[in-house]
Amino acid sequence: MTHQDRVNLSREHGLTQIAPEIDFTGKNVVLTGGAAGIGGALAEAYHAFGANVIVIDVQDEKLKALEDKLGNERITGIAFDLRTLSKAKYAKLTRQIKHAAGNDTIDVYAINAGVIKLFDGPDAKHIATTPIQEMDSLFAINVRSHVTLYQQLLPMMKHSDAGRIMLTSSPIVGRKDPASANYAWTKKALEDYVAMFQQELATLDGAEHIQVAGYVPPPVQAWLRAHWKNEPLYANAMPEDVVELPLRLSASAMSADYNGKMFTFVDKRTRNITPADGGEKYDANARTENGFDLGIRVRDLGEGGGTAGEDFETSYDTWNSRLLLGKDPVPPLDENIRIREALAPPQFIKKAMNGPS
């Protein structure tokens, strides 16, 4: 499929009311947490639609694999630990971004990096016993790093003719769950900050044209999901099933009506399915002929959480996303393989298993 074929398809299929066209030709996209999972699918999608993609991630081996997969053209992986407090390291990162961009312009800042935990010791199951260093580390990665990058990238985004900041949030926002407290409050704090980015940009000279939007993905077949559930392969959406929405929310053609909005995927899972062999029960999302059937709701950034909002699409077929990327229909569910068996923890989780970072 040629680039122009993709652009033409984007005018005919999917969420065209958000952005009537997807085309990142000549655009510089900075994406955090883009080495794997939803971030990896986003990196490939931006690249497929013509962007020069600059991916920031701590997983250096996966960054190199991504570069190789995309032919080492219009793709730059920068290995960087978002926990750092070093001004010198962020200054170096900014220089690397400028070099990769080839100029002083950044068109899209895609905020995607986030971790549910770094410490998996016996004391990590309750707020009362989780080491305070874990809270510090998650705040550093999930919140502070993105605010720091906002400060670093804003001067370059002012040079863009249609700057976009796009947030990947989480359904954990607004959920009162002590077992995932650090993840929940840091994701809520990040969404609040991004909502304030949008308000601030409207008042800053030279930044009024920068628009901000976000989305909440559904349960996706990735390690983050495997940490909580042990579903069969292809029981729920894969990362490539959900990338159309963030692509349109960061496209230069995005309607100004959606500046400051948060879009949430609503899954339609059947719960507690008993497998044929009588083993561990699982949840599976509703399917269409070629994809999954999801709903989409919309609310203001920083307001509410979970699945709050007004219905935007009551029946969104993820085939739209797969079609735009040239993917085959979603594979059939496979009860013989569980995602926890197929998906290994990321390198940074493995390194931190024996204690806090």
Side-chain angles (χ1 to χ4, degrees), residues 48-332:
F49 278 92
N52 175 39
V53 188
I54 303 161
V55 180
I56 300 168
D57 201 295
V58 74
Q59 302 177 86
D60 50 355
E61 293 179 6
K62 290 187 177 180
L63 284 173
K64 183 61 171 63
L66 179 66
E67 290 176 322
D68 291 343
K69 182 177 182 179
L70 298 181
N72 293 289
E73 293 184 359
R74 295 187 290 105
I75 177 71
T76 302
I78 302 176
F80 189 80
D81 190 339
L82 294 172
R83 288 174 293 181
T84 185
L85 285 168
S86 169
K87 291 182 179 179
K89 289 182 178 179
Y90 269 104
K92 178 182 178 182
L93 174 63
T94 302
R95 291 194 297 270
Q96 291 175 296
I97 290 171
K98 286 184 177 181
H99 179 75
N103 54 41
D104 288 336
T105 301
I106 297 299
D107 300 283
V108 177
Y109 173 28
I111 300 173
N112 178 76
V115 295
I116 182 175
K117 66 174 184 176
L118 290 173
F119 176 50
D120 197 34
D123 297 328
K125 296 180 180 179
H126 305 285
I127 300 171
T129 53
T130 297
I132 203 68
Q133 296 97 322
E134 175 75 346
M135 183 176 73
D136 291 341
S137 293
L138 262 64
F139 179 79
I141 295 170
N142 293 354
V143 185
R144 191 188 66 222
S145 65
H146 300 300
V147 178
T148 304
L149 278 169
Y150 165 76
Q151 295 175 342
Q152 299 288 312
L153 298 177
L154 183 55
M156 291 180 277
M157 296 196 73
K158 288 183 178 182
H159 295 157
S160 174
D161 58 0
R164 299 287 183 264
I165 296 176
M166 195 284 301
L167 168 67
T168 302
S169 190
S170 169
I172 197 75
V173 170
R175 187 180 302 168
K176 304 299 188 291
D177 181 3
S180 54
N182 288 322
Y183 184 54
W185 80 262
T186 54
K187 294 300 284 187
K188 171 60 176 170
L190 176 60
E191 188 176 318
D192 286 345
Y193 262 112
V194 174
M196 288 185 279
F197 292 174
Q198 187 261 328
Q199 295 178 30
E200 177 177 79
L201 290 166
T203 69
L204 294 180
D205 288 343
E208 303 93 336
H209 64 291
I210 300 173
Q211 296 190 35
V212 181
Y215 80 107
V216 176
V220 167
Q221 181 176 291
W223 185 83
L224 189 65
R225 180 71 182 165
H227 167 69
W228 278 315
K229 302 289 183 178
N230 196 20
E231 299 152 344
L233 282 180
Y234 316 126
N236 288 291
M238 288 175 284
E240 59 266 30
D241 286 302
V242 302
V243 298
E244 184 206 350
L245 178 53
L247 284 180
R248 293 201 188 267
L249 293 176
S250 47
S252 58
M254 185 186 82
S255 169
D257 292 342
Y258 303 118
N259 187 26
K261 297 299 183 181
M262 174 65 75
F263 291 80
T264 301
F265 280 109
V266 181
D267 65 87
K268 302 176 182 179
R269 285 178 289 172
T270 301
R271 300 176 184 275
N272 296 317
I273 299 170
T274 301
D277 62 5
E280 184 180 356
K281 294 182 179 181
Y282 62 89
D283 301 340
N285 200 78
R287 287 178 174 251
T288 64
E289 182 178 357
N290 293 311
F292 291 95
D293 182 19
L294 300 168
I296 301 177
R297 291 180 182 154
V298 62
R299 58 179 171 84
D300 290 335
L301 263 167
E303 298 294 330
T307 58
E310 298 179 358
D311 284 340
F312 186 79
E313 291 279 348
T314 56
S315 187
Y316 173 77
D317 190 344
T318 65
W319 173 239
N320 288 301
S321 188
R322 304 184 73 86
L323 180 68
L324 295 179
L325 298 180
K327 301 289 186 180
D328 293 330
V330 66

